[in-house]
Amino acid sequence: MDRRCSQQWESSMEDVSTPLLPLHDDGRTDGRSCSALASLLANKYLAIAAGPLASALICAFVDFGHGRAAARNMLGVLAWVFIWWLTDAVPLGVASMAPLFLFPAFGISSSDAVAKAYMDDVISLVLGSFILALAIEHYNIHRRLALNITSLFCGDPVRPPLLLLGICGTTMFISMWIHNTPCTVMMMPVATGILQRFPRGQAASSSADAHEVRRFSKAVVLGVMYASTIGGMSTLTGTGANIILVGMWSTYFPEQRPITFSSWMSFGFPVALVLFAALWVTLCLMYCSSNTGRALSAYLDRTHLRRELSLLGPMAFAEKMVLAVFGVCFYNLFVLYLKF
C-alpha cells in the first residue's frame, strides 16, 4: 500500500462518515478511456428520450403473436425503465415509480393493482426497516450502542472471544426483527466505531500486535455480515425472502396449513442458534489467538470506555423516540408470536 492510500485509510478510520471506498476517481484516468457511447449517454436529454424511443420501437416492430399485445407492451415498458435506470437520465426514485403510470397507459394493468403492488407488505416492511436503521444512525444511537457493547463484553483484561460474541450476538438479535440489509447498515458503524480504536500501520506497538489487530478486525467485520444473515433466518420479519415464501406457500398450496410466525420461529430459531454457535467458534479459531487479548488491551479499557460513554450525556428526546419505535415493533412481533 502506497503512502496516499495509507493516509486515505487512516483518515477514513478517524471519521465514521467517510466512505470505505472512494466515491470519485483519483484523476489518473485519462480521456481516452471514455468511449463514444459514454459521451453520448452523458447528454441527459438524449438519455431521457432514449427510454420512450426504445419503447415505441418495440411496440411498433415486435410481434409475439395474436393475443400477446400485453407481453409486447410489457417489454416496451421494461426497456423504457431499464434505459432510464442504466443511464441515470432521471433520479432513481422517478425511474422506480415510472411503472405506476406506464402500466395503466400501456394497458398492462390497472392503476389500483399497480398501486397495491407498490404498497405490498414486504415492500412496506423493508422500507420501514430502512427508515428505522437510518434513524438510529442519524441520531448516533449506534455510537452509544458500540460503547455499551464494548464496555460490557470487552472484559478486564480484554477477552476477544467474549467481545466478538457480544458484537455478533447483538447483530443477530437485531436482524431477527428488521431486515438483513438495514441491520447491516446499522451495525457496520458500530463495528467501525470499535475498530477505530485500533491503530493502523506504523501506529501499532509492534508488528506482532499489528498482525493480531488486523486479524481481529477481519473477525468483527465478517461476524457482523454473517450474524445478520443468520439472524434473518430466525423469524418471518428477518428478511423479505421469508415473507415471499409464505405468500407463495399460501398461493400454491391453499389447502395446506399456513406458515405462521410461531411455526417459522419454532423451526428457524434453533437452526439459527446452531449456525451462530458454529460462526462464533469458527471466527475464534481462525482470528483469535492467545496473543490477541494482549494486543487489544492497549487500546480497549473498560474504565475509559465508560468515561467516554458518560461524555455522550443523557439520551436526547429524538433518541428516546427512535428506541421507543423499535421497542413497539419488537413488542408487536412478540405478541404476534404468542398469538400464533
PDB file of all heavy atoms in Angstrom, residues 237-270:
ATOM      1  N   THR A 237     -39.946 -11.865   9.864  1.00  0.00           N
ATOM      2  CA  THR A 237     -39.582 -10.478   9.575  1.00  0.00           C
ATOM      3  C   THR A 237     -38.087 -10.292   9.394  1.00  0.00           C
ATOM      4  O   THR A 237     -37.637  -9.176   9.148  1.00  0.00           O
ATOM      5  CB  THR A 237     -40.061  -9.569  10.714  1.00  0.00           C
ATOM      6  OG1 THR A 237     -39.508 -10.024  11.958  1.00  0.00           O
ATOM      7  CG2 THR A 237     -41.571  -9.600  10.810  1.00  0.00           C
ATOM      8  N   GLY A 238     -37.313 -11.350   9.518  1.00  0.00           N
ATOM      9  CA  GLY A 238     -35.867 -11.216   9.430  1.00  0.00           C
ATOM     10  C   GLY A 238     -35.383 -10.826   8.054  1.00  0.00           C
ATOM     11  O   GLY A 238     -34.393 -10.121   7.919  1.00  0.00           O
ATOM     12  N   THR A 239     -36.062 -11.286   7.021  1.00  0.00           N
ATOM     13  CA  THR A 239     -35.688 -10.944   5.658  1.00  0.00           C
ATOM     14  C   THR A 239     -36.904 -11.095   4.757  1.00  0.00           C
ATOM     15  O   THR A 239     -37.844 -11.839   5.088  1.00  0.00           O
ATOM     16  CB  THR A 239     -34.541 -11.849   5.154  1.00  0.00           C
ATOM     17  OG1 THR A 239     -34.174 -11.457   3.830  1.00  0.00           O
ATOM     18  CG2 THR A 239     -34.947 -13.296   5.138  1.00  0.00           C
ATOM     19  N   GLY A 240     -36.897 -10.378   3.651  1.00  0.00           N
ATOM     20  CA  GLY A 240     -38.049 -10.405   2.755  1.00  0.00           C
ATOM     21  C   GLY A 240     -38.290 -11.752   2.114  1.00  0.00           C
ATOM     22  O   GLY A 240     -39.433 -12.079   1.767  1.00  0.00           O
ATOM     23  N   ALA A 241     -37.247 -12.543   1.939  1.00  0.00           N
ATOM     24  CA  ALA A 241     -37.417 -13.852   1.307  1.00  0.00           C
ATOM     25  C   ALA A 241     -38.331 -14.754   2.125  1.00  0.00           C
ATOM     26  O   ALA A 241     -39.077 -15.575   1.558  1.00  0.00           O
ATOM     27  CB  ALA A 241     -36.058 -14.511   1.115  1.00  0.00           C
ATOM     28  N   ASN A 242     -38.299 -14.617   3.440  1.00  0.00           N
ATOM     29  CA  ASN A 242     -39.171 -15.434   4.281  1.00  0.00           C
ATOM     30  C   ASN A 242     -40.641 -15.114   4.030  1.00  0.00           C
ATOM     31  O   ASN A 242     -41.480 -16.015   3.909  1.00  0.00           O
ATOM     32  CB  ASN A 242     -38.835 -15.200   5.756  1.00  0.00           C
ATOM     33  CG  ASN A 242     -37.400 -15.563   6.090  1.00  0.00           C
ATOM     34  OD1 ASN A 242     -36.714 -16.205   5.298  1.00  0.00           O
ATOM     35  ND2 ASN A 242     -36.936 -15.153   7.249  1.00  0.00           N
ATOM     36  N   ILE A 243     -40.959 -13.819   3.955  1.00  0.00           N
ATOM     37  CA  ILE A 243     -42.351 -13.425   3.722  1.00  0.00           C
ATOM     38  C   ILE A 243     -42.790 -13.808   2.308  1.00  0.00           C
ATOM     39  O   ILE A 243     -43.942 -14.194   2.084  1.00  0.00           O
ATOM     40  CB  ILE A 243     -42.505 -11.916   3.962  1.00  0.00           C
ATOM     41  CG1 ILE A 243     -42.029 -11.559   5.364  1.00  0.00           C
ATOM     42  CG2 ILE A 243     -43.944 -11.479   3.766  1.00  0.00           C
ATOM     43  CD1 ILE A 243     -42.097 -10.090   5.674  1.00  0.00           C
ATOM     44  N   ILE A 244     -41.882 -13.713   1.348  1.00  0.00           N
ATOM     45  CA  ILE A 244     -42.214 -14.127  -0.020  1.00  0.00           C
ATOM     46  C   ILE A 244     -42.539 -15.618  -0.067  1.00  0.00           C
ATOM     47  O   ILE A 244     -43.483 -16.051  -0.743  1.00  0.00           O
ATOM     48  CB  ILE A 244     -41.056 -13.781  -0.966  1.00  0.00           C
ATOM     49  CG1 ILE A 244     -40.906 -12.257  -1.087  1.00  0.00           C
ATOM     50  CG2 ILE A 244     -41.269 -14.403  -2.339  1.00  0.00           C
ATOM     51  CD1 ILE A 244     -39.712 -11.824  -1.890  1.00  0.00           C
ATOM     52  N   LEU A 245     -41.774 -16.414   0.692  1.00  0.00           N
ATOM     53  CA  LEU A 245     -42.045 -17.853   0.741  1.00  0.00           C
ATOM     54  C   LEU A 245     -43.412 -18.128   1.352  1.00  0.00           C
ATOM     55  O   LEU A 245     -44.149 -18.999   0.865  1.00  0.00           O
ATOM     56  CB  LEU A 245     -40.958 -18.554   1.546  1.00  0.00           C
ATOM     57  CG  LEU A 245     -41.157 -20.061   1.770  1.00  0.00           C
ATOM     58  CD1 LEU A 245     -41.192 -20.795   0.439  1.00  0.00           C
ATOM     59  CD2 LEU A 245     -40.061 -20.623   2.667  1.00  0.00           C
ATOM     60  N   VAL A 246     -43.783 -17.383   2.383  1.00  0.00           N
ATOM     61  CA  VAL A 246     -45.099 -17.571   2.995  1.00  0.00           C
ATOM     62  C   VAL A 246     -46.204 -17.232   1.993  1.00  0.00           C
ATOM     63  O   VAL A 246     -47.211 -17.946   1.899  1.00  0.00           O
ATOM     64  CB  VAL A 246     -45.220 -16.708   4.262  1.00  0.00           C
ATOM     65  CG1 VAL A 246     -46.638 -16.759   4.817  1.00  0.00           C
ATOM     66  CG2 VAL A 246     -44.238 -17.186   5.321  1.00  0.00           C
ATOM     67  N   GLY A 247     -46.020 -16.146   1.246  1.00  0.00           N
ATOM     68  CA  GLY A 247     -47.010 -15.796   0.240  1.00  0.00           C
ATOM     69  C   GLY A 247     -47.128 -16.839  -0.856  1.00  0.00           C
ATOM     70  O   GLY A 247     -48.237 -17.172  -1.302  1.00  0.00           O
ATOM     71  N   MET A 248     -46.001 -17.369  -1.314  1.00  0.00           N
ATOM     72  CA  MET A 248     -46.033 -18.411  -2.334  1.00  0.00           C
ATOM     73  C   MET A 248     -46.666 -19.694  -1.799  1.00  0.00           C
ATOM     74  O   MET A 248     -47.402 -20.387  -2.525  1.00  0.00           O
ATOM     75  CB  MET A 248     -44.615 -18.679  -2.832  1.00  0.00           C
ATOM     76  CG  MET A 248     -43.963 -17.513  -3.558  1.00  0.00           C
ATOM     77  SD  MET A 248     -42.253 -17.858  -4.048  1.00  0.00           S
ATOM     78  CE  MET A 248     -42.499 -19.251  -5.149  1.00  0.00           C
ATOM     79  N   TRP A 249     -46.401 -20.005  -0.530  1.00  0.00           N
ATOM     80  CA  TRP A 249     -46.977 -21.206   0.067  1.00  0.00           C
ATOM     81  C   TRP A 249     -48.506 -21.110   0.118  1.00  0.00           C
ATOM     82  O   TRP A 249     -49.208 -22.059  -0.233  1.00  0.00           O
ATOM     83  CB  TRP A 249     -46.408 -21.401   1.461  1.00  0.00           C
ATOM     84  CG  TRP A 249     -46.982 -22.575   2.201  1.00  0.00           C
ATOM     85  CD1 TRP A 249     -48.069 -22.582   3.037  1.00  0.00           C
ATOM     86  CD2 TRP A 249     -46.508 -23.925   2.169  1.00  0.00           C
ATOM     87  NE1 TRP A 249     -48.303 -23.833   3.525  1.00  0.00           N
ATOM     88  CE2 TRP A 249     -47.362 -24.687   3.015  1.00  0.00           C
ATOM     89  CE3 TRP A 249     -45.456 -24.563   1.518  1.00  0.00           C
ATOM     90  CZ2 TRP A 249     -47.174 -26.048   3.215  1.00  0.00           C
ATOM     91  CZ3 TRP A 249     -45.278 -25.931   1.729  1.00  0.00           C
ATOM     92  CH2 TRP A 249     -46.134 -26.648   2.561  1.00  0.00           C
ATOM     93  N   SER A 250     -49.018 -19.961   0.549  1.00  0.00           N
ATOM     94  CA  SER A 250     -50.468 -19.790   0.637  1.00  0.00           C
ATOM     95  C   SER A 250     -51.124 -19.729  -0.751  1.00  0.00           C
ATOM     96  O   SER A 250     -52.294 -20.078  -0.896  1.00  0.00           O
ATOM     97  CB  SER A 250     -50.799 -18.514   1.421  1.00  0.00           C
ATOM     98  OG  SER A 250     -50.251 -17.378   0.776  1.00  0.00           O
ATOM     99  N   THR A 251     -50.362 -19.311  -1.768  1.00  0.00           N
ATOM    100  CA  THR A 251     -50.924 -19.223  -3.122  1.00  0.00           C
ATOM    101  C   THR A 251     -50.961 -20.578  -3.807  1.00  0.00           C
ATOM    102  O   THR A 251     -51.979 -20.957  -4.409  1.00  0.00           O
ATOM    103  CB  THR A 251     -50.105 -18.236  -3.962  1.00  0.00           C
ATOM    104  OG1 THR A 251     -50.129 -16.943  -3.337  1.00  0.00           O
ATOM    105  CG2 THR A 251     -50.665 -18.133  -5.367  1.00  0.00           C
ATOM    106  N   TYR A 252     -49.863 -21.334  -3.731  1.00  0.00           N
ATOM    107  CA  TYR A 252     -49.779 -22.600  -4.455  1.00  0.00           C
ATOM    108  C   TYR A 252     -50.341 -23.779  -3.652  1.00  0.00           C
ATOM    109  O   TYR A 252     -50.714 -24.795  -4.235  1.00  0.00           O
ATOM    110  CB  TYR A 252     -48.326 -22.888  -4.825  1.00  0.00           C
ATOM    111  CG  TYR A 252     -47.770 -21.946  -5.862  1.00  0.00           C
ATOM    112  CD1 TYR A 252     -46.853 -20.975  -5.512  1.00  0.00           C
ATOM    113  CD2 TYR A 252     -48.174 -22.011  -7.192  1.00  0.00           C
ATOM    114  CE1 TYR A 252     -46.327 -20.095  -6.458  1.00  0.00           C
ATOM    115  CE2 TYR A 252     -47.669 -21.147  -8.143  1.00  0.00           C
ATOM    116  CZ  TYR A 252     -46.746 -20.190  -7.767  1.00  0.00           C
ATOM    117  OH  TYR A 252     -46.236 -19.316  -8.704  1.00  0.00           O
ATOM    118  N   PHE A 253     -50.380 -23.655  -2.334  1.00  0.00           N
ATOM    119  CA  PHE A 253     -50.895 -24.744  -1.502  1.00  0.00           C
ATOM    120  C   PHE A 253     -51.933 -24.198  -0.516  1.00  0.00           C
ATOM    121  O   PHE A 253     -51.698 -24.170   0.703  1.00  0.00           O
ATOM    122  CB  PHE A 253     -49.753 -25.438  -0.739  1.00  0.00           C
ATOM    123  CG  PHE A 253     -48.627 -25.908  -1.621  1.00  0.00           C
ATOM    124  CD1 PHE A 253     -47.458 -25.172  -1.717  1.00  0.00           C
ATOM    125  CD2 PHE A 253     -48.748 -27.074  -2.373  1.00  0.00           C
ATOM    126  CE1 PHE A 253     -46.421 -25.594  -2.530  1.00  0.00           C
ATOM    127  CE2 PHE A 253     -47.713 -27.499  -3.180  1.00  0.00           C
ATOM    128  CZ  PHE A 253     -46.548 -26.756  -3.266  1.00  0.00           C
ATOM    129  N   PRO A 254     -53.062 -23.719  -1.018  1.00  0.00           N
ATOM    130  CA  PRO A 254     -54.056 -23.125  -0.109  1.00  0.00           C
ATOM    131  C   PRO A 254     -54.698 -24.137   0.827  1.00  0.00           C
ATOM    132  O   PRO A 254     -55.229 -23.758   1.877  1.00  0.00           O
ATOM    133  CB  PRO A 254     -55.081 -22.518  -1.074  1.00  0.00           C
ATOM    134  CG  PRO A 254     -54.954 -23.318  -2.328  1.00  0.00           C
ATOM    135  CD  PRO A 254     -53.497 -23.694  -2.413  1.00  0.00           C
ATOM    136  N   GLU A 255     -54.678 -25.415   0.450  1.00  0.00           N
ATOM    137  CA  GLU A 255     -55.313 -26.422   1.296  1.00  0.00           C
ATOM    138  C   GLU A 255     -54.429 -26.843   2.465  1.00  0.00           C
ATOM    139  O   GLU A 255     -54.906 -27.478   3.414  1.00  0.00           O
ATOM    140  CB  GLU A 255     -55.678 -27.661   0.460  1.00  0.00           C
ATOM    141  CG  GLU A 255     -54.495 -28.512   0.002  1.00  0.00           C
ATOM    142  CD  GLU A 255     -53.758 -27.918  -1.193  1.00  0.00           C
ATOM    143  OE1 GLU A 255     -54.237 -26.877  -1.698  1.00  0.00           O
ATOM    144  OE2 GLU A 255     -52.726 -28.479  -1.589  1.00  0.00           O
ATOM    145  N   GLN A 256     -53.132 -26.513   2.405  1.00  0.00           N
ATOM    146  CA  GLN A 256     -52.211 -26.883   3.468  1.00  0.00           C
ATOM    147  C   GLN A 256     -52.285 -25.889   4.628  1.00  0.00           C
ATOM    148  O   GLN A 256     -52.793 -24.769   4.485  1.00  0.00           O
ATOM    149  CB  GLN A 256     -50.779 -26.955   2.928  1.00  0.00           C
ATOM    150  CG  GLN A 256     -50.586 -27.980   1.835  1.00  0.00           C
ATOM    151  CD  GLN A 256     -50.778 -29.399   2.324  1.00  0.00           C
ATOM    152  OE1 GLN A 256     -50.508 -29.707   3.497  1.00  0.00           O
ATOM    153  NE2 GLN A 256     -51.236 -30.278   1.445  1.00  0.00           N
ATOM    154  N   ARG A 257     -51.762 -26.304   5.740  1.00  0.00           N
ATOM    155  CA  ARG A 257     -51.728 -25.438   6.926  1.00  0.00           C
ATOM    156  C   ARG A 257     -50.803 -24.255   6.656  1.00  0.00           C
ATOM    157  O   ARG A 257     -49.666 -24.431   6.231  1.00  0.00           O
ATOM    158  CB  ARG A 257     -51.240 -26.225   8.132  1.00  0.00           C
ATOM    159  CG  ARG A 257     -51.219 -25.428   9.430  1.00  0.00           C
ATOM    160  CD  ARG A 257     -50.727 -26.299  10.566  1.00  0.00           C
ATOM    161  NE  ARG A 257     -50.663 -25.534  11.812  1.00  0.00           N
ATOM    162  CZ  ARG A 257     -50.213 -26.022  12.971  1.00  0.00           C
ATOM    163  NH1 ARG A 257     -49.808 -27.299  13.028  1.00  0.00           N
ATOM    164  NH2 ARG A 257     -50.192 -25.263  14.039  1.00  0.00           N
ATOM    165  N   PRO A 258     -51.261 -23.022   6.896  1.00  0.00           N
ATOM    166  CA  PRO A 258     -50.417 -21.848   6.594  1.00  0.00           C
ATOM    167  C   PRO A 258     -49.219 -21.755   7.531  1.00  0.00           C
ATOM    168  O   PRO A 258     -49.238 -22.263   8.657  1.00  0.00           O
ATOM    169  CB  PRO A 258     -51.382 -20.665   6.788  1.00  0.00           C
ATOM    170  CG  PRO A 258     -52.405 -21.171   7.756  1.00  0.00           C
ATOM    171  CD  PRO A 258     -52.578 -22.630   7.445  1.00  0.00           C
ATOM    172  N   ILE A 259     -48.189 -21.107   7.030  1.00  0.00           N
ATOM    173  CA  ILE A 259     -46.988 -20.869   7.829  1.00  0.00           C
ATOM    174  C   ILE A 259     -47.221 -19.627   8.677  1.00  0.00           C
ATOM    175  O   ILE A 259     -47.423 -18.536   8.151  1.00  0.00           O
ATOM    176  CB  ILE A 259     -45.751 -20.689   6.932  1.00  0.00           C
ATOM    177  CG1 ILE A 259     -45.543 -21.932   6.065  1.00  0.00           C
ATOM    178  CG2 ILE A 259     -44.509 -20.424   7.769  1.00  0.00           C
ATOM    179  CD1 ILE A 259     -44.405 -21.789   5.067  1.00  0.00           C
ATOM    180  N   THR A 260     -47.183 -19.785   9.976  1.00  0.00           N
ATOM    181  CA  THR A 260     -47.396 -18.669  10.895  1.00  0.00           C
ATOM    182  C   THR A 260     -46.062 -18.181  11.453  1.00  0.00           C
ATOM    183  O   THR A 260     -45.010 -18.816  11.250  1.00  0.00           O
ATOM    184  CB  THR A 260     -48.325 -19.077  12.037  1.00  0.00           C
ATOM    185  OG1 THR A 260     -47.699 -20.139  12.792  1.00  0.00           O
ATOM    186  CG2 THR A 260     -49.670 -19.557  11.501  1.00  0.00           C
ATOM    187  N   PHE A 261     -46.125 -17.071  12.172  1.00  0.00           N
ATOM    188  CA  PHE A 261     -44.914 -16.510  12.769  1.00  0.00           C
ATOM    189  C   PHE A 261     -44.303 -17.480  13.772  1.00  0.00           C
ATOM    190  O   PHE A 261     -43.079 -17.668  13.820  1.00  0.00           O
ATOM    191  CB  PHE A 261     -45.250 -15.181  13.458  1.00  0.00           C
ATOM    192  CG  PHE A 261     -44.050 -14.388  13.892  1.00  0.00           C
ATOM    193  CD1 PHE A 261     -43.472 -13.457  13.049  1.00  0.00           C
ATOM    194  CD2 PHE A 261     -43.500 -14.571  15.143  1.00  0.00           C
ATOM    195  CE1 PHE A 261     -42.363 -12.734  13.447  1.00  0.00           C
ATOM    196  CE2 PHE A 261     -42.401 -13.848  15.563  1.00  0.00           C
ATOM    197  CZ  PHE A 261     -41.831 -12.928  14.707  1.00  0.00           C
ATOM    198  N   SER A 262     -45.156 -18.097  14.579  1.00  0.00           N
ATOM    199  CA  SER A 262     -44.646 -19.008  15.614  1.00  0.00           C
ATOM    200  C   SER A 262     -44.103 -20.297  15.014  1.00  0.00           C
ATOM    201  O   SER A 262     -43.079 -20.819  15.472  1.00  0.00           O
ATOM    202  CB  SER A 262     -45.754 -19.320  16.617  1.00  0.00           C
ATOM    203  OG  SER A 262     -46.872 -19.904  15.963  1.00  0.00           O
ATOM    204  N   SER A 263     -44.785 -20.836  13.986  1.00  0.00           N
ATOM    205  CA  SER A 263     -44.288 -22.076  13.381  1.00  0.00           C
ATOM    206  C   SER A 263     -42.951 -21.858  12.688  1.00  0.00           C
ATOM    207  O   SER A 263     -42.079 -22.732  12.719  1.00  0.00           O
ATOM    208  CB  SER A 263     -45.316 -22.611  12.381  1.00  0.00           C
ATOM    209  OG  SER A 263     -45.528 -21.688  11.326  1.00  0.00           O
ATOM    210  N   TRP A 264     -42.787 -20.689  12.055  1.00  0.00           N
ATOM    211  CA  TRP A 264     -41.498 -20.408  11.427  1.00  0.00           C
ATOM    212  C   TRP A 264     -40.405 -20.252  12.486  1.00  0.00           C
ATOM    213  O   TRP A 264     -39.316 -20.807  12.347  1.00  0.00           O
ATOM    214  CB  TRP A 264     -41.593 -19.136  10.592  1.00  0.00           C
ATOM    215  CG  TRP A 264     -40.311 -18.789   9.890  1.00  0.00           C
ATOM    216  CD1 TRP A 264     -39.187 -18.230  10.451  1.00  0.00           C
ATOM    217  CD2 TRP A 264     -39.998 -19.011   8.524  1.00  0.00           C
ATOM    218  NE1 TRP A 264     -38.207 -18.077   9.516  1.00  0.00           N
ATOM    219  CE2 TRP A 264     -38.669 -18.551   8.313  1.00  0.00           C
ATOM    220  CE3 TRP A 264     -40.711 -19.531   7.443  1.00  0.00           C
ATOM    221  CZ2 TRP A 264     -38.058 -18.601   7.075  1.00  0.00           C
ATOM    222  CZ3 TRP A 264     -40.082 -19.584   6.218  1.00  0.00           C
ATOM    223  CH2 TRP A 264     -38.778 -19.125   6.035  1.00  0.00           C
ATOM    224  N   MET A 265     -40.702 -19.490  13.544  1.00  0.00           N
ATOM    225  CA  MET A 265     -39.686 -19.245  14.562  1.00  0.00           C
ATOM    226  C   MET A 265     -39.334 -20.522  15.323  1.00  0.00           C
ATOM    227  O   MET A 265     -38.181 -20.710  15.739  1.00  0.00           O
ATOM    228  CB  MET A 265     -40.176 -18.171  15.532  1.00  0.00           C
ATOM    229  CG  MET A 265     -39.109 -17.660  16.480  1.00  0.00           C
ATOM    230  SD  MET A 265     -39.673 -16.240  17.433  1.00  0.00           S
ATOM    231  CE  MET A 265     -38.196 -15.891  18.389  1.00  0.00           C
ATOM    232  N   SER A 266     -40.302 -21.410  15.501  1.00  0.00           N
ATOM    233  CA  SER A 266     -40.024 -22.666  16.191  1.00  0.00           C
ATOM    234  C   SER A 266     -39.027 -23.519  15.437  1.00  0.00           C
ATOM    235  O   SER A 266     -38.269 -24.299  16.046  1.00  0.00           O
ATOM    236  CB  SER A 266     -41.328 -23.447  16.399  1.00  0.00           C
ATOM    237  OG  SER A 266     -42.236 -22.698  17.180  1.00  0.00           O
ATOM    238  N   PHE A 267     -39.021 -23.378  14.121  1.00  0.00           N
ATOM    239  CA  PHE A 267     -38.047 -24.120  13.319  1.00  0.00           C
ATOM    240  C   PHE A 267     -36.783 -23.312  13.050  1.00  0.00           C
ATOM    241  O   PHE A 267     -35.667 -23.819  13.155  1.00  0.00           O
ATOM    242  CB  PHE A 267     -38.687 -24.535  11.983  1.00  0.00           C
ATOM    243  CG  PHE A 267     -37.708 -25.104  11.001  1.00  0.00           C
ATOM    244  CD1 PHE A 267     -37.253 -26.398  11.129  1.00  0.00           C
ATOM    245  CD2 PHE A 267     -37.229 -24.330   9.948  1.00  0.00           C
ATOM    246  CE1 PHE A 267     -36.349 -26.925  10.222  1.00  0.00           C
ATOM    247  CE2 PHE A 267     -36.327 -24.847   9.042  1.00  0.00           C
ATOM    248  CZ  PHE A 267     -35.883 -26.142   9.183  1.00  0.00           C
ATOM    249  N   GLY A 268     -36.964 -22.014  12.708  1.00  0.00           N
ATOM    250  CA  GLY A 268     -35.819 -21.220  12.282  1.00  0.00           C
ATOM    251  C   GLY A 268     -34.909 -20.800  13.421  1.00  0.00           C
ATOM    252  O   GLY A 268     -33.683 -20.726  13.235  1.00  0.00           O
ATOM    253  N   PHE A 269     -35.458 -20.503  14.584  1.00  0.00           N
ATOM    254  CA  PHE A 269     -34.622 -20.006  15.677  1.00  0.00           C
ATOM    255  C   PHE A 269     -33.623 -21.045  16.174  1.00  0.00           C
ATOM    256  O   PHE A 269     -32.446 -20.723  16.369  1.00  0.00           O
ATOM    257  CB  PHE A 269     -35.512 -19.519  16.815  1.00  0.00           C
ATOM    258  CG  PHE A 269     -34.751 -18.876  17.935  1.00  0.00           C
ATOM    259  CD1 PHE A 269     -34.051 -17.693  17.740  1.00  0.00           C
ATOM    260  CD2 PHE A 269     -34.719 -19.461  19.187  1.00  0.00           C
ATOM    261  CE1 PHE A 269     -33.339 -17.095  18.776  1.00  0.00           C
ATOM    262  CE2 PHE A 269     -34.018 -18.876  20.224  1.00  0.00           C
ATOM    263  CZ  PHE A 269     -33.315 -17.694  20.016  1.00  0.00           C
ATOM    264  N   PRO A 270     -34.004 -22.317  16.423  1.00  0.00           N
ATOM    265  CA  PRO A 270     -32.981 -23.301  16.816  1.00  0.00           C
ATOM    266  C   PRO A 270     -31.898 -23.501  15.756  1.00  0.00           C
ATOM    267  O   PRO A 270     -30.712 -23.644  16.095  1.00  0.00           O
ATOM    268  CB  PRO A 270     -33.787 -24.583  17.046  1.00  0.00           C
ATOM    269  CG  PRO A 270     -35.174 -24.107  17.334  1.00  0.00           C
ATOM    270  CD  PRO A 270     -35.357 -22.891  16.487  1.00  0.00           C
TER     271      PRO A 270
END
